[in-house]
Amino acid sequence: MAHVLDEFISQPASDTEVFYKRPLPDSCIAFSSKEGKTIFEEALLSGHMESYFKLASQFRTQDEPAFCGLSTLVMVLNALEIDPGKVWRRPWRWYHESMLNCCVPIAVMEKEGITMDQFIFMAENNCLETRLTYVDETASLEAFRAVIQKYTKQDESVITLSYSRSVLSQTGDGHFSPVGGYHPSRDLVLILDTARFKYPPYWLPVSLLFEAMQAKDNLTGKYQKFILYVT
Amino acid sequence: MAHVLDEFISQPASDTEVFYKRPLPDSCIAFSSKEGKTIFEEALLSGHMESYFKLASQFRTQDEPAFCGLSTLVMVLNALEIDPGKVWRRPWRWYHESMLNCCVPIAVMEKEGITMDQFIFMAENNCLETRLTYVDETASLEAFRAVIQKYTKQDESVITLSYSRSVLSQTGDGHFSPVGGYHPSRDLVLILDTARFKYPPYWLPVSLLFEAMQAKDNLTGKYQKFILYVT
């Protein structure tokens, strides 16, 4: 079952309707806005942007509207400097979405995205150790925040999340993104959203993100999850 | 005459020799290293990272080894929020390398890169106003530094450069990159290099960059240039 079709879902664009990005909802603060820059500076000084630099070095736009899972994984693999052991463009070994076809043909992923199971399978098949946590109705906001707080202060591991865009008042629904940083006193988290043709990177409240992760996925009927990668 | 073949030039890799990145020379400080993070924080507090945020939001890996010019231009177009007026992937209007084929077929650019004239033509053909300055033997380091200082304190315009990698002790030669920021007391400039499969983003001395821009291009025999984009 596809999980990451979000760029097509809940925005029944006609065949002729096209967009130049979407307005970022008020719940989100754009990374490059004046306020976003202030938040970044304060977060940096707080020590919770340690996780930012490796990921920012590999921040990318997903090559296809359904590739949020694939592109998030490519970001993580290149940020954590995993050598794929195979050539992308001669003479370079490097990760690209087109090389993550170990369980589903790329043409199928272009149409249907990937499931969380496929996401994890591909990560582990490419030398990443993963720790999966479901955010269901028994989950604790405090425990979630503690993970965000802990892992934004280091750069050996990366947190990726799946969440419901609709809870954030964004168009679409189930979506994958890496976490870029944290602002402690305002309790904001930085999302490095790979659908950059739609939304820029943004800060949003941890509590709202938590809510967006508690929403069941429309397609799979499952709870959202977050994954911690450890090399 | 091709200008951006650098990823192939001066590294006569055999058909079987392949690489996972290249060691960053001592003249350059990696963006995500401990020292790089300190430089970033100090530069941010100095006010010379205003130019960083929009570019970082669109930082990307060039899709082909010869695409440094094309990918630098795509970064600038998306960072400055130019609406291409045509669809990339339905329903999204967005810039991608594959859409910058107004003067040379993409297949040719994949093999040969682009010249500076083509680079400028494509920029202006996509609604960017450009200001071109050659860095020849009459150029002044102080004047170059003053431009870097001025335009890293704002985010309406973007500086892109062409320079000789070999002067930086990097493999390859002529290369295009956007400027991400500036550290005044250490006189370092941040280069957001799109060949991320080869080098990470890096800080380097303005004086060395200036020297790398004074070198004549191996292929065209012309001096390097820098370009300022104004929307």
Side-chain angles (χ1 to χ4, degrees), chain A residues 7-8 11 13-22 31-33 36-37 40-41 44-45 49-65 77-78 80-84 87-96 154-155 171 196-198 200-201, chain B residues 7-8 11 13-22 31-33 36-37 40-41 44-45 49-65 77-78 80-84 87-96 154-155 171 196-198 200-201:
Chain A
E7 308 312 338
F8 298 129
Q11 49 179 33
S14 70
D15 284 350
T16 55
E17 196 174 17
V18 293
F19 303 95
Y20 182 70
K21 302 206 266 192
R22 290 288 207 167
F31 174 77
S32 65
S33 66
K37 290 177 181 176
F40 185 96
E41 182 176 313
L44 188 71
L45 296 175
M49 296 304 286
E50 282 295 309
S51 56
Y52 170 78
F53 292 83
K54 283 185 181 175
L55 279 171
S57 298
Q58 300 302 334
F59 195 17
R60 63 188 284 106
T61 303
Q62 56 192 70
D63 263 351
E64 297 286 341
L77 288 162
N78 289 330
L80 294 180
E81 300 189 284
I82 309 294
D83 181 345
V87 172
W88 160 63
R89 298 277 191 272
R90 187 161 290 280
W92 305 106
R93 300 193 303 273
W94 193 244
Y95 275 105
H96 183 268
Q154 57 77 57
D155 67 358
T171 64
R196 304 191 292 188
F197 48 83
K198 181 177 180 180
Chain B
E7 309 311 338
F8 298 127
Q11 50 178 35
S14 70
D15 283 351
T16 55
E17 196 175 16
V18 293
F19 304 95
Y20 182 70
K21 302 208 265 192
R22 289 288 206 169
F31 174 78
S32 64
S33 65
K37 289 177 181 177
F40 185 96
E41 182 175 313
L44 187 71
L45 295 175
M49 296 303 287
E50 280 296 306
S51 56
Y52 170 77
F53 292 83
K54 283 184 181 175
L55 279 170
S57 299
Q58 299 303 334
F59 195 17
R60 63 189 286 105
T61 303
Q62 55 192 72
D63 263 352
E64 297 285 341
L77 287 161
N78 288 332
L80 294 180
E81 300 189 282
I82 310 293
D83 181 344
V87 171
W88 159 62
R89 298 277 191 273
R90 187 162 291 279
W92 305 106
R93 299 193 303 272
W94 193 244
Y95 275 104
H96 184 267
Q154 56 78 56
D155 68 357
T171 64
R196 304 191 291 190
F197 47 85
K198 181 177 181 180

